[in-house]
Amino acid sequence: MTIGMPLRTEIYGEIDADRATSLSEEIKEEVANRMDYDLPQETFCDTFRNEADAAFKSKYKRLGARVTK
């Protein structure tokens, strides 16, 4: 899974690669901590991707990050 993040945003200005990695890691850990690891693999991946995308949009409004396969 990849979290695509622009390096320059309207609200946050320029974001260097280390900061982008840190933001992505924070969201992935937050979502992973509440996931059901007994789900079938495909369901787990789709759910994780959707939850991570929603978490980014909720926590970092107007950042422009997106979660992709």
Side-chain angles (χ1 to χ4, degrees), residues 14-46:
E14 189 172 334
I15 297 176
D16 65 33
D18 288 337
R19 178 72 174 135
T21 299
S22 176
L23 294 174
S24 297
E25 181 181 1
E26 178 183 329
I27 292 296
K28 287 191 278 187
E29 287 179 1
E30 177 183 313
V31 171
N33 285 333
R34 60 178 190 255
M35 288 295 298
D36 177 1
Y37 286 89
D38 292 327
L39 291 171
Q41 184 175 3
E42 185 175 333
T43 302
F44 178 89
C45 291
D46 288 342

